CSV table of all heavy atoms in Angstrom, one decimal:
chain,number,residue,atom,x,y,z
A,71,THR,N,-30.3,68.8,-35.8
A,71,THR,CA,-31.5,69.1,-35.1
A,71,THR,C,-31.4,68.5,-33.7
A,71,THR,O,-31.8,69.2,-32.7
A,71,THR,CB,-32.7,68.6,-35.8
A,71,THR,OG1,-32.8,69.2,-37.1
A,71,THR,CG2,-34.0,68.9,-35.1
A,75,GLU,N,-31.2,70.8,-30.0
A,75,GLU,CA,-32.2,70.7,-28.9
A,75,GLU,C,-31.5,70.3,-27.6
A,75,GLU,O,-31.8,70.8,-26.6
A,75,GLU,CB,-33.3,69.7,-29.3
A,75,GLU,CG,-34.2,70.1,-30.4
A,75,GLU,CD,-34.8,71.5,-30.2
A,75,GLU,OE1,-35.3,71.7,-29.0
A,75,GLU,OE2,-34.8,72.3,-31.1
A,143,ARG,N,-48.9,76.0,-53.5
A,143,ARG,CA,-50.0,76.8,-54.0
A,143,ARG,C,-50.2,78.0,-53.2
A,143,ARG,O,-50.4,77.9,-52.0
A,143,ARG,CB,-51.2,75.9,-54.1
A,143,ARG,CG,-52.4,76.6,-54.8
A,143,ARG,CD,-53.6,75.7,-54.9
A,143,ARG,NE,-54.2,75.5,-53.7
A,143,ARG,CZ,-54.1,74.3,-53.0
A,143,ARG,NH1,-53.3,73.4,-53.4
A,143,ARG,NH2,-54.8,74.2,-51.8
A,153,TRP,N,-64.6,92.1,-68.4
A,153,TRP,CA,-66.0,92.1,-68.7
A,153,TRP,C,-66.3,92.0,-70.2
A,153,TRP,O,-65.5,92.6,-71.0
A,153,TRP,CB,-66.7,93.3,-68.1
A,153,TRP,CG,-66.8,93.3,-66.6
A,153,TRP,CD1,-65.9,93.9,-65.7
A,153,TRP,CD2,-67.8,92.7,-65.9
A,153,TRP,NE1,-66.4,93.7,-64.4
A,153,TRP,CE2,-67.6,93.0,-64.5
A,153,TRP,CE3,-69.0,92.0,-66.2
A,153,TRP,CZ2,-68.4,92.5,-63.5
A,153,TRP,CZ3,-69.8,91.6,-65.2
A,153,TRP,CH2,-69.5,91.8,-63.8
A,337,GLN,N,-57.4,89.2,-45.4
A,337,GLN,CA,-58.7,89.8,-44.9
A,337,GLN,C,-59.6,88.8,-44.3
A,337,GLN,O,-60.5,89.2,-43.5
A,337,GLN,CB,-59.4,90.4,-46.1
A,337,GLN,CG,-58.7,91.6,-46.7
A,337,GLN,CD,-59.4,92.3,-47.8
A,337,GLN,OE1,-60.0,91.6,-48.6
A,337,GLN,NE2,-59.4,93.6,-47.9
A,371,HIS,N,-56.5,90.8,-28.6
A,371,HIS,CA,-57.6,90.0,-28.0
A,371,HIS,C,-57.4,88.5,-28.4
A,371,HIS,O,-57.5,87.6,-27.5
A,371,HIS,CB,-58.9,90.4,-28.5
A,371,HIS,CG,-59.3,91.8,-28.1
A,371,HIS,ND1,-60.4,92.5,-28.5
A,371,HIS,CD2,-58.6,92.7,-27.3
A,371,HIS,CE1,-60.4,93.7,-28.0
A,371,HIS,NE2,-59.3,93.9,-27.3
A,525,ARG,N,-77.4,108.6,-36.8
A,525,ARG,CA,-78.1,108.5,-38.0
A,525,ARG,C,-77.7,109.7,-39.0
A,525,ARG,O,-77.6,109.4,-40.2
A,525,ARG,CB,-79.6,108.6,-37.7
A,525,ARG,CG,-80.5,108.5,-39.0
A,525,ARG,CD,-81.9,108.0,-38.6
A,525,ARG,NE,-81.9,106.7,-38.0
A,525,ARG,CZ,-81.9,105.6,-38.8
A,525,ARG,NH1,-81.8,105.6,-40.1
A,525,ARG,NH2,-81.9,104.4,-38.1
A,546,LEU,N,-64.5,107.3,-59.9
A,546,LEU,CA,-64.0,108.5,-59.2
A,546,LEU,C,-64.6,109.8,-59.9
A,546,LEU,O,-64.9,109.7,-61.1
A,546,LEU,CB,-62.5,108.5,-59.3
A,546,LEU,CG,-61.8,107.4,-58.6
A,546,LEU,CD1,-60.3,107.5,-58.8
A,546,LEU,CD2,-62.1,107.5,-57.1
Side-chain angles (χ1 to χ4, degrees):
T71 301
E75 293 306 316
R143 184 177 71 257
W153 287 96
Q337 294 182 321
H371 296 176
R525 184 160 294 279
L546 296 179

